[in-house]
Amino acid sequence: MSVLQPDALALASPLARRNPTVKLALLFVVSAVLLLVLDPMTPAVLYVLVAGAVLLGTGVRPRALLVAQLPFVAFALGVLLVNMLSRPGEVVWQGAGLRVTAEGLWVGAGLAGRTLLMGLLSVAFVATTDGVALVTSLHQHARLGAKVTFAVLAGYRLLQQMGAEWQTIRRAQSVRAPLGRRGRPRVGLRGHAASAFALLVGSVRRGDRVAGTLELRGLGDGDRTTWRPVPLDRRDAVFAGAVLGVLGLVLVGASVAGVLEGPGALF
């Protein structure tokens, strides 16, 4: 299973049944709070709690979750290395023209942990949220206009089709490509560039046709009904309260333990 494309198991999980707008709002709130946290201990505790909740409440397999985290791991390592090697402070190691400072390690570990935690939250959101339900919920509950939401929905549908379109273009190019010594098509860099250009042109044409269709159907003129409304009930309020409550408890606990640090750690 690819975490970036939710399957039936993930979309039937308890977390997937929560309102998409509520989950998106919580993602923004938690991310905004984390921007003010710069110690490594607080993100580490939150990461363990979120990872456990994701594995238990989403149906995502540990291996799939780990693979989805790899881009965030690479970015987090880069942040850690830059801070530990460039930030001034008490030198803990020096050699080969490099020096590592204690302050750089502390701040770098905090920023890296924050990156991993935000990545985990984003992966959990994508894995348990259907795109159509998200756009419908934003129209219902976030009061976004029909022009915006239906345009986003059309774009989401086109994006879903791009993978299959790319495979079709590549196969067509392979049929026309000359064969190499082993009898395999030789595509090369120019072939990939041509495929990418063909995909771009096809996407622009489909987008133009979709825009014309939406305009002909009077998109945005008057009130519009929703075919499959997305529910919003007390369980979503309980879910939001639980997430914010756990976040608050961890922050208070880190403050009482004396490990919580904010933006002042950068200076």
Side-chain angles (χ1 to χ4, degrees):
M1 178 190 74
S2 173
V3 175
L4 299 181
Q5 294 185 355
D7 66 353
L9 180 61
L11 292 178
S13 62
L15 186 58
R17 291 193 289 269
R18 301 284 61 81
N19 186 275
T21 299
V22 173
K23 291 189 290 185
L24 184 62
L26 287 173
L27 180 61
F28 278 113
V29 170
V30 174
S31 299
V33 172
L34 290 175
L35 289 176
L36 304 176
V37 177
L38 289 174
D39 68 276
M41 301 303 298
T42 305
V45 174
L46 287 172
Y47 188 92
V48 172
L49 295 175
V50 172
V54 169
L55 292 175
L56 293 175
T58 65
V60 177
R61 297 182 179 87
R63 183 178 180 277
L65 187 63
L66 180 62
V67 171
Q69 283 275 279
L70 291 180
F72 300 100
V73 171
F75 185 75
L77 286 176
V79 171
L80 175 61
L81 288 174
V82 168
N83 280 273
M84 63 187 288
L85 295 176
S86 63
R87 188 168 295 278
E90 179 185 355
V91 178
V92 296
W93 179 85
Q94 187 170 1
L98 303 173
R99 76 184 170 126
V100 177
T101 64
E103 289 79 2
L105 279 172
W106 181 261
V107 174
L111 293 174
R114 190 174 70 183
T115 300
L116 292 176
L117 179 56
M118 289 182 177
L120 181 62
L121 291 170
S122 302
V123 169
F125 175 79
V126 172
T128 60
T129 304
D130 177 67
V132 177
L134 173 61
V135 175
T136 304
S137 178
L138 289 174
H139 178 58
Q140 280 185 255
H141 307 119
R143 296 296 187 266
L144 290 184
K147 288 186 178 180
V148 176
T149 51
F150 284 95
V152 170
L153 180 58
Y156 176 78
R157 288 300 195 190
L158 291 177
L159 185 61
Q160 283 184 316
Q161 298 171 4
M162 287 186 69
E165 291 290 335
W166 173 259
Q167 293 294 334
T168 302
I169 293 172
R170 296 297 304 126
R171 289 168 182 168
Q173 293 234 350
S174 298
V175 171
R176 298 192 299 267
L179 299 180
R181 295 181 179 179
R182 298 183 179 180
R184 296 179 180 177
R186 292 185 304 175
V187 179
L189 183 60
R190 293 184 61 183
H192 284 85
S195 299
F197 182 74
L199 180 64
L200 175 62
V201 171
S203 299
V204 171
R205 289 177 176 174
R206 285 194 302 274
D208 184 64
R209 289 196 297 268
V210 170
T213 302
L214 293 177
E215 185 176 359
L216 287 174
R217 294 191 177 189
L219 178 63
D221 294 338
D223 296 333
R224 304 186 70 90
T225 59
T226 302
W227 180 34
R228 293 180 178 177
V230 178
L232 176 65
D233 51 34
R234 295 180 179 178
R235 290 172 294 183
D236 296 300
V238 172
F239 170 68
V243 171
L244 296 178
V246 171
L247 176 63
L249 287 175
V250 172
L251 292 176
V252 170
S255 178
V256 172
V259 297
L260 181 64
E261 291 193 24
L266 294 175
F267 308 100

